[in-house]
Amino acid sequence: MTNHQIDHLMSRVQSGDGTALEELYKGMHESVFFYALRLCGNYDAAQDVMQDTFVTLMRKSSLYRAEEKGRAWIFTVARNLVVDLQRKQSRTESFEVMPEMPGADDFTVQADTQIDALGMLDGLSAREKNIVLLRLLGDMTLTEVAAELNIPKGTVFWTYNNAVRKMRKQYTGGEHFEK
Amino acid sequence: MKSKFEQELKRQAYDAVPDKWEEIKEKAGVCAPKSEDKVERFNVRAIASVAASAAVVIVAVSVAVGVGRHKNAPQKSEITVTDENGVVYTVADASGFDSIAVPETTVITYVDSEGKEHTTVATITRNAEGQKEDSSVVVTFKDAQGNTQTTVVAIPAERSTTAPNASSTAKNTPGADPATTPATTRAEIYTETDWDRRTMQEKFPAVQFEPTGGLGKEYSAAFRGGQYISRPATLLFSGYTLRNINPKTDKEETVRANIYVFQNFDRALAVGVKFPGEEHIHPYVNVHYTPQSLGEFLTAADVRNSVHFGNIRLYKDGTFPVNAQNKADIFRYLLSDGSVKNSNATDWPTGDKVTLSIDLAELGQNNKAMYVYESGYVATNLIGRVYLFNVGKENVAAFLKNSYNVTFDDLRKVNSGTPSTASDTATATTGDPTASNPYNNELFPKSQTGTTAVSAPQTIPE
């Protein structure tokens, strides 16, 4: 989703158009999720951050200014929510009540399965993983990744390609996707 | 241009991203119009809270909530808040409430419009304004129909001395919303999470392993404050690298620590971490650990030797300490058949239950619950996930009969006659349990005769 599209959708969100928020969600939620996952390193926390990011976009839409870099703005909202989360975790106890609801166990089983789908990232170094999460899964441009990680764009480009090569080797069905 | 491989990887990964739109829609107030603007009323009574500060303001508060929804309009809530003394608090509207993301949890019991009682988990969000005169908290929970309900509980000044911590946040970022203001400076944001002031567990709260070797994938620090346990341990890995991102610099920090296996704790459940320069071993728990069977769980957590049973809530307002004989009966009747599988049932057990509070203090798991259902299920959240074992209704009945000389029929009779207001509850739980039972003087309990009922632990849902 481009900054221009985000601008357009945010202006509709500002006018209270819930369908615009849904469009924004459909176009951005995966990117936001993987961005949050990179910051949190925790699947459950990342989905909470992803959810809260879009709630915040709706509630605080009046603060958005057109012509801003919409994608960067959304990622910053997510980043600040991660900070809030870390702050909260540092001063509260863990969740210690048993939710009495059907399928409570199903959720965590599902979460593990989903993490396994990302198992290919396991073989990467921390830097490679960060870059892949942001570039490929967070759908950021190389320039955005470089700014986010505060490292030169050339390094991002080189590291990213290296990481993709590594993953392709790891991937059991990799031959299928070779050139 | 991304290669086919990159595209496929992205597609697979994106498939794993949870769809939270429905929840976002509810939370953000983006709701489809209903055929009629039905107003439902709930009586909400918070019975417990894991957040001490929130507990002060929430416990035993009655709330009546009316909810009507309009498309693209903030959710209007008709709220009347009455405390246990009958004092009516401020009527507020959740839609205008400016909160920050500081959720904490509590267990609430609410009575729906048909008089049916439900217990569920609610999230408490504090007021970002941190006002001293009239602080508020937002209570969010899902009702029995799965609809998210939100209400604001306004707390008069004299009751708000312990809430809200959020005021410190407001001070750190004057005039700014930390969740939406990109320009907020790092120094302001990270005041409370300064990397250099963190303990080693706070700096490195997780240990991640490759998904091989029988280990869990990720272990979380059982404690954040530097606590350790003295259980014998043997070295598993030396110089294992733990990683985390320093939020102040956004750079990765690493430390090389020694990883240990504790005696009689399955390494798939918990490992120990010894940081350089420290003498002690800190426990890290795999909160995603899922045993296949009851026996596996009992062995992995060394349940017989490590778990402490605190109290049992037999009936509403009737909570008693678990003594040695009761504990023996728990293992004899409920936890004896190790072959019982950890159930993946999608239908959560229904029907009546008694609740035990359990701790595994060595691994930082305190005030957890074990539910014992009349239907024969035993459920516990001891490690983080919920485990569910069908031990058989005969065993559950035998446990109650032999340990407490009661049946579920007896307990239902008591429940139906037990006073329900908070003040009456206090009387009932501090008195002689047999005296508070108008139905059967022989009801309680063979092994509890002469004991005094105690208040329930705060985190045990009713």
Side-chain angles (χ1 to χ4, degrees):
Chain A
M1 186 167 275
T2 64
N3 284 331
H4 179 70
Q5 289 171 314
I6 291 171
D7 268 359
H8 177 64
L9 288 171
M10 281 305 295
S11 68
R12 285 170 55 198
V13 170
Q14 284 173 333
S15 64
D17 182 351
T19 60
L21 185 68
E22 185 170 8
E23 283 180 48
L24 194 59
Y25 169 82
K26 283 177 178 167
M28 286 292 293
H29 80 282
E30 291 105 340
S31 306
V32 171
F33 174 81
F34 284 110
Y35 178 75
L37 185 63
R38 179 240 156 195
L39 290 176
C40 304
N42 178 292
Y43 185 93
D44 293 338
Q47 64 175 342
D48 286 346
V49 169
M50 184 262 282
Q51 180 177 333
D52 288 344
T53 298
F54 287 94
V55 173
T56 303
L57 292 183
M58 180 72 179
R59 289 183 176 167
K60 307 294 180 185
S61 59
S62 60
L63 297 177
Y64 183 81
R65 297 285 172 265
E67 308 303 321
E68 287 196 47
K69 291 179 179 174
R71 289 174 56 82
W73 193 79
I74 291 171
F75 286 130
T76 308
V77 170
R79 172 198 288 273
N80 288 336
L81 285 167
V82 171
V83 171
D84 276 345
L85 190 69
Q86 289 172 335
R87 187 165 46 202
K88 184 202 76 176
Q89 285 173 338
S90 71
R91 68 171 180 240
T92 59
E93 295 296 320
S94 58
F95 184 76
E96 292 187 352
V97 290
M98 179 155 53
E100 188 169 16
M101 60 185 79
D105 211 17
D106 288 347
F107 170 76
T108 43
V109 171
Q110 189 187 19
D112 270 2
T113 307
Q114 290 166 343
I115 289 172
D116 286 337
L118 302 173
M120 263 185 289
L121 295 175
D122 289 347
L124 303 181
S125 70
R127 172 178 276 192
E128 287 169 337
K129 195 186 287 187
N130 278 339
I131 291 175
V132 169
L133 276 170
L134 295 176
R135 164 74 179 120
L136 181 60
L137 306 180
D139 223 15
M140 283 182 163
T141 65
L142 287 175
T143 308
E144 287 171 335
V145 174
E148 175 70 26
L149 299 178
N150 196 24
I151 50 181
K153 191 175 166 181
T155 307
V156 170
F157 184 82
W158 184 86
T159 309
Y160 173 74
N161 284 321
N162 232 13
V164 171
R165 263 197 296 276
K166 269 191 197 177
M167 285 190 294
R168 185 181 277 129
K169 276 186 187 172
Q170 278 182 18
Y171 187 56
T172 51
E175 304 78 20
H176 184 67
F177 295 101
E178 293 294 344
K179 332 169 201 177
Chain B
M1 176 68 76
K2 294 185 175 71
S3 68
K4 280 186 182 176
F5 171 74
E6 288 169 274
Q7 289 171 27
E8 175 62 14
L9 180 65
K10 185 176 170 181
R11 188 193 64 75
Q12 284 187 17
Y14 272 26
D15 281 347
V17 178
D19 186 0
K20 308 292 281 185
W21 172 244
E22 289 302 320
E23 289 159 56
I24 291 168
K25 197 167 66 169
E26 290 282 345
K27 223 170 162 183
V30 183
C31 301
K34 285 190 170 181
S35 55
E36 58 183 72
D37 195 11
K38 183 182 174 186
V39 175
E40 297 171 330
R41 297 191 70 79
F42 299 93
N43 288 314
V44 181
R45 181 166 64 88
I47 61 171
S49 175
V50 295
S53 58
V56 173
V57 296
I58 292 298
V59 169
V61 172
S62 296
V63 186
V65 189
V67 182
R69 296 195 182 96
H70 305 268
K71 186 178 183 182
N72 299 336
Q75 177 176 306
K76 297 290 181 188
S77 297
E78 177 193 301
I79 302 161
T80 310
V81 184
T82 311
D83 76 359
E84 66 272 28
N85 298 316
V87 178
V88 178
Y89 292 171
T90 311
V91 174
D93 180 356
S95 65
F97 200 77
D98 188 17
S99 62
I100 61 169
V102 190
E104 298 182 29
T105 55
T106 186
V107 174
I108 62 165
T109 296
Y110 69 90
V111 180
D112 66 20
S113 54
E114 295 169 355
K116 202 171 173 186
E117 194 171 274
H118 305 269
T119 301
T120 189
V121 178
T123 299
I124 307 299
T125 310
R126 292 174 184 153
N127 188 349
E129 301 304 320
Q131 67 265 50
K132 292 173 184 169
E133 296 299 317
D134 193 11
S135 293
S136 308
V137 291
V138 181
V139 181
T140 307
F141 64 98
K142 282 198 171 181
D143 66 19
Q145 286 72 45
N147 299 319
T148 300
Q149 305 293 353
T150 302
T151 186
V152 177
V153 178
I155 308 301
E158 65 269 20
R159 288 175 179 269
S160 63
T161 51
T162 57
N165 286 343
S167 59
S168 60
T169 306
K171 284 175 192 167
N172 288 338
T173 53
D177 183 330
T180 57
T181 310
T184 306
T185 67
R186 295 277 168 77
E188 290 167 340
I189 287 181
Y190 292 109
T191 301
E192 292 184 29
T193 55
D194 189 334
W195 181 266
D196 298 330
R197 284 190 290 156
R198 294 181 182 185
T199 65
M200 289 305 284
Q201 290 107 308
E202 287 171 335
K203 287 179 178 174
F204 302 99
V207 188
Q208 292 181 324
F209 293 104
E210 298 297 328
T212 55
L215 292 171
K217 290 178 80 172
E218 181 172 328
Y219 296 71
S220 301
F223 308 101
R224 294 294 178 89
Q227 296 96 325
Y228 58 89
I229 62 176
S230 52
R231 180 175 282 245
T234 53
L235 185 64
L236 179 64
F237 297 124
S238 115
Y240 196 87
T241 302
L242 278 66
R243 305 169 189 279
N244 197 11
I245 301 292
N246 180 340
K248 207 167 189 174
T249 61
D250 265 354
K251 298 282 168 52
E252 184 180 78
E253 303 270 357
T254 61
V255 66
R256 291 173 75 83
N258 290 344
I259 308 296
Y260 289 81
V261 176
F262 292 114
Q263 188 177 82
N264 295 334
F265 281 150
D266 191 324
R267 65 178 67 179
L269 168 68
V271 295
V273 175
K274 188 175 176 183
F275 293 102
E278 291 192 354
E279 291 181 14
H280 303 298
I281 300 175
H282 306 284
Y284 279 60
V285 178
N286 174 10
V287 293
H288 295 299
Y289 170 75
T290 305
Q292 297 301 307
S293 66
L294 177 58
E296 192 179 313
F297 168 59
L298 296 176
T299 304
D302 193 17
V303 170
R304 189 174 283 275
N305 299 309
S306 67
V307 168
H308 170 72
F309 292 86
N311 302 316
I312 183 168
R313 177 178 286 160
L314 287 173
Y315 61 96
K316 194 175 181 181
D317 306 329
T319 304
F320 307 87
V322 174
N323 63 24
Q325 180 58 46
N326 305 142
K327 183 176 176 181
D329 286 336
I330 288 169
F331 283 100
R332 179 180 174 192
Y333 294 107
L334 303 179
L335 306 179
S336 61
D337 184 357
S339 67
V340 172
K341 299 295 179 195
N342 181 11
S343 173
N344 291 319
T346 52
D347 293 328
W348 190 254
T350 55
D352 290 330
K353 65 177 184 294
V354 296
T355 303
L356 292 136
S357 66
I358 56 176
D359 303 329
L360 206 177
E362 281 182 287
L363 297 183
Q365 312 297 312
N366 294 310
N367 239 0
K368 298 301 183 76
M370 177 183 280
Y371 292 157
V372 181
Y373 287 88
E374 185 178 20
S375 58
Y377 280 95
V378 170
T380 181
N381 62 342
L382 182 62
I383 305 300
R385 279 190 163 190
V386 179
Y387 308 148
L388 187 62
F389 304 104
N390 187 353
V391 302
K393 59 196 304 184
E394 299 79 11
N395 283 325
V396 169
F399 163 66
L400 282 184
K401 192 67 186 171
N402 283 280
S403 210
Y404 297 99
N405 198 26
V406 292
T407 66
F408 273 99
D409 283 338
D410 296 330
L411 299 178
R412 275 188 283 272
K413 285 180 187 171
V414 178
N415 277 331
S416 65
T418 303
S420 59
T421 65
S423 55
D424 287 342
T425 298
T427 306
T429 55
T430 53
D432 178 352
T434 58
S436 67
N437 161 30
Y439 297 100
N440 182 353
N441 286 335
E442 295 180 349
L443 193 58
F444 290 105
K446 278 197 302 194
S447 55
Q448 296 286 357
T449 305
T451 61
T452 301
V454 297
S455 299
Q458 282 205 329
T459 55
I460 300 299
E462 189 171 332

